[in-house]
Amino acid sequence: MPIKRLLIANRGEIAVRIIRAAKAMGIHTIQAHSEADADMLAVRMADEAVCIGPAQAAHSYLNVDAMLEAVKSTQADAVHPGYGFMAENADFVRALEKAGITFVGPSADTIDRMGDKVAARQAAEAAGVPVVPGSKGRLDTVDDAVAVAADLGYPVMIKAAAGGGGKGIRIADSEADLRKMAPQAQAEANAAFGDGGLYLERAINAPRHIEVQIMGDGTDAVHYFERECSMQRRRQKVWEEAGASCLDEATRAHLCDTAVALAKAVGYVGAGTLEYLYDSKTKEFFFIEMNTRIQVEHPVTEMLTGSDLVQEMIHVAGGGKLRQSQQDITRSGHAIEVRLNAEDPAMQFLPFPGKVDSLRLPEGKGIRFDHFLYEGYQVPPFYDSLLGKLIVHAEDRAAAIALLITALEKLEIGGLKTTTPLHLALAHDPSVRADDFHTQWLEPWLAAGNLNATP
Amino acid sequence: MAHILSPVPGTFYTQSAPGEPLFKTPGDAIAAGDVIGLIEVMKTFIEVKAEAAGTFKEYVVENGAAIGAGEWLAEFEG
């Protein structure tokens, strides 16, 4: 049944993005917000708003009961979770399913299955997606891990079976390392996820992080090509591109086709992303995990393909069939997104919440800025530091980098420190311009003082 | 009486994790650089340190309270 009243269970820029998409589809929008977010842009833009509790996310945006109460009191017939918070909370989705409310995303069972790394890996293997050589199932003892590592060869990556967000990941170079690290990883996994299960993978040297955007309607699935997200600090992406220039056409086609095969195999509904490690030297790619949500970096794909992914996920959640067949989805040019965070890059990225005194946004062909700012807005200290995302699109990668520099120089967010200097330095860096970097590249680059060396 | 001020806005914690002991209790001797609390700001934890030696008197805000930059967090006798 098509969605009529959509509750947005999120905040910040993604809430604004969802409201714009829903309004364009003629849907009534209801913005859920904490006490600290009563003044945020999404609240001002939505048709109505509902307070769900105090500033602390645990008592508001992460509170299943409060969110369900908001759904009932506003008579919403659907919930869009954005990313983070409730986006991959199967218990929340189950409660909505029970109440007859549409969740804009996959079913609780799909979230559970893909959220368990071992189960996701088994589903991927069954669909013909290459996976990193690793343990067949979860490992519960250190001796099991040592036996598996002897087969895989060192170095090995130790991960929490229930994991996410980089928690519990360690790399062991030898059996002695593994015997020391595995119990720590188990303890950390237990503390973070209430599940001490581990699994092991072969560690790949200098990998690139490539991911494929898919969309499914429960029967059919399509891909919107791939993104390159190798520029990471503390396992958080800072700069993302579409497409991945390091791939040749045959590899790209294979990668995207296997992603669609997996989406179809699990009867996927909504927007999803399959993440891979890619070894440029051997041209091998390996599935690592699937994210069952819209992602922060979805706009680069939208710019590359000219598709509105958020509208499409709302459409399929309402029971619609995919509106584009695979051959309708084409790529043109190159897109880059950088994350503007309220942090001071010169002070070890110290968070810098504050008041937006002035705001000057870059405009023009190929420039998009997804954000939730306005002059006079007080950025609260209670949530993550993402202020907005600057996205550029041009005919090729070099032109996109040039446009990114122009746009960053025009962007002015007065009163706050932001990560703009980092992105300008990266855009001028010879390795970045030569597309020569990988997931382990940015942190040593920062540690070597490159940020300060660039004018 | 001297005060320890918050360097940033955020959420103030008087213990390193739930169930852990308080960083300081009344009467504790403190040295410059001692951690007296944590502030969570934008999902990052920043240590609040004493700038001078003295005797800890008390926290003036509760564990888990939302605080502003420059707000008084604790009192001590220098």
Side-chain angles (χ1 to χ4, degrees):
Chain A
M1 200 161 47
I3 292 165
K4 293 194 182 70
R5 295 175 63 83
L6 180 67
L7 181 117
I8 295 100
N10 211 306
R11 61 178 306 282
E13 66 86 20
I14 193 65
V16 172
R17 170 75 185 91
I18 295 164
I19 289 173
R20 286 192 202 284
K23 284 197 158 182
M25 298 169 79
I27 295 171
H28 183 87
T29 53
I30 305 151
Q31 178 61 51
H33 66 88
S34 72
E35 287 165 7
D37 274 340
D39 288 334
M40 72 175 171
L41 186 59
V43 169
R44 296 182 173 200
M45 288 172 61
D47 296 306
E48 59 182 288
V50 56
C51 184
I52 46 165
Q56 284 87 347
H59 301 301
S60 47
Y61 298 103
L62 289 168
N63 183 338
V64 170
D65 292 337
M67 207 59 93
L68 288 171
E69 182 54 41
V71 170
K72 281 183 197 147
S73 71
T74 61
Q75 296 177 305
D77 58 12
V79 173
H80 198 309
Y83 50 72
F85 296 137
M86 298 293 195
E88 286 160 288
N89 183 333
D91 290 339
F92 178 59
V93 178
R94 257 186 207 106
L96 290 176
E97 284 168 1
K98 203 174 152 204
I101 308 292
T102 300
F103 178 73
V104 182
S107 68
D109 288 346
T110 301
I111 292 173
D112 270 342
R113 185 175 181 192
M114 296 326 236
D116 181 304
K117 292 192 179 178
V118 174
R121 185 185 162 92
Q122 286 165 347
E125 277 185 294
V129 181
V131 299
V132 186
S135 51
K136 290 280 179 280
R138 55 178 283 144
L139 302 167
D140 290 309
T141 72
V142 175
D143 284 335
D144 290 349
V146 168
V148 169
D151 280 343
L152 295 175
Y154 289 91
V156 292
M157 195 176 279
I158 311 166
K159 294 185 172 185
K167 283 215 175 60
I169 295 180
R170 283 171 172 71
I171 291 175
D173 291 320
S174 64
E175 185 181 327
D177 267 5
L178 180 58
R179 286 195 179 278
K180 198 174 78 186
M181 291 173 177
Q184 297 167 357
Q186 276 183 313
E188 198 171 311
N190 232 331
F193 312 111
D195 174 356
L198 299 180
Y199 77 104
L200 290 188
E201 279 175 5
R202 186 195 293 160
I204 295 167
N205 194 31
R208 301 188 73 135
H209 181 119
I210 310 279
E211 58 189 32
V212 177
Q213 175 72 57
I214 59 99
M215 186 80 67
D217 62 15
T219 311
D220 201 7
V222 291
H223 70 78
Y224 292 81
F225 299 97
E226 81 289 351
R227 296 186 283 262
E228 151 98 56
C229 309
S230 299
M231 202 78 78
Q232 300 181 9
R233 179 177 170 272
R234 296 186 173 173
R235 298 186 191 274
Q236 297 287 316
K237 297 162 188 170
V238 302
W239 159 308
E240 297 119 335
E241 307 191 22
S245 300
C246 59
L247 298 183
D248 61 41
E249 279 305 325
T251 307
R252 172 175 293 120
H254 185 199
L255 181 73
C256 294
D257 288 348
T258 61
V260 170
L262 175 58
K264 283 183 181 169
V266 300
Y268 197 83
V269 179
T273 300
L274 285 84
E275 299 201 340
Y276 300 83
L277 295 179
Y278 178 67
D279 186 333
S280 315
K281 291 201 180 66
T282 63
K283 294 193 178 179
E284 287 175 290
F285 59 85
F286 303 107
F287 171 80
I288 43 176
E289 64 178 316
M290 182 170 188
N291 295 319
T292 55
R293 59 171 192 266
I294 193 75
Q295 286 188 291
V296 178
E297 58 270 32
H298 76 274
V300 282
T301 299
E302 295 187 326
M303 297 289 263
L304 184 80
T305 61
S307 302
D308 189 315
L309 297 172
V310 178
Q311 284 193 20
E312 192 68 2
M313 74 188 292
I314 294 171
H315 170 75
V316 296
K321 292 287 153 198
L322 290 174
R323 291 179 289 192
Q324 284 181 295
S325 66
Q326 191 63 62
Q327 68 210 33
D328 299 330
I329 303 168
T330 55
R331 57 200 294 276
S332 92
H334 193 87
I336 302 175
E337 169 182 299
V338 294
R339 299 190 191 195
L340 274 297
N341 290 346
E343 295 169 10
D344 185 355
M347 294 282 287
Q348 287 85 46
F349 295 88
L350 184 74
F352 203 100
K355 190 174 171 183
V356 180
D357 302 333
S358 62
L359 190 60
R360 198 160 60 100
L361 303 181
E363 286 175 12
K365 185 172 180 289
I367 297 174
R368 167 174 167 181
F369 187 53
D370 280 22
H371 69 101
F372 64 118
L373 307 175
Y374 56 83
E375 286 186 3
Y377 177 60
Q378 179 75 40
V379 179
F382 307 108
Y383 311 104
D384 69 39
S385 58
L386 185 68
L387 293 172
K389 311 176 306 202
L390 179 63
I391 308 107
V392 294
H393 180 248
E395 65 271 19
D396 58 28
R397 189 169 184 274
I401 292 175
L403 183 59
L404 177 65
I405 292 170
T406 306
L408 282 168
E409 285 173 346
K410 283 185 188 159
L411 175 66
E412 188 185 298
I413 305 173
L416 300 177
K417 297 275 188 190
T418 77
T419 46
T420 297
L422 167 69
H423 299 307
L424 275 172
L426 288 172
H428 285 287
D429 183 85
S431 292
V432 174
R433 297 172 83 98
D435 195 29
D436 182 16
F437 54 88
H438 54 81
T439 56
Q440 310 301 314
W441 182 87
L442 180 57
E443 291 188 42
W445 182 88
L446 285 167
N450 283 291
L451 184 56
N452 304 324
T454 315
Chain B
M1 194 66 62
H3 293 100
I4 297 173
L5 308 182
S6 169
V8 289
T11 305
F12 182 64
Y13 297 101
T14 55
Q15 54 201 96
S16 61
E20 292 296 307
L22 297 174
F23 284 105
K24 295 291 171 192
T25 50
D28 281 357
I30 48 174
D34 276 7
V35 175
I36 67 104
L38 290 177
I39 296 174
E40 183 180 5
V41 51
M42 295 184 149
K43 296 167 95 175
T44 299
F45 288 88
I46 293 172
E47 293 182 336
V48 182
K49 293 175 179 171
E51 289 181 359
T55 303
F56 188 80
K57 185 162 178 261
E58 62 180 347
Y59 290 110
V60 296
V61 295
E62 282 177 24
N63 185 49
I67 46 103
E71 197 166 316
W72 292 358
L73 302 176
E75 287 183 352
F76 73 103
E77 288 174 43

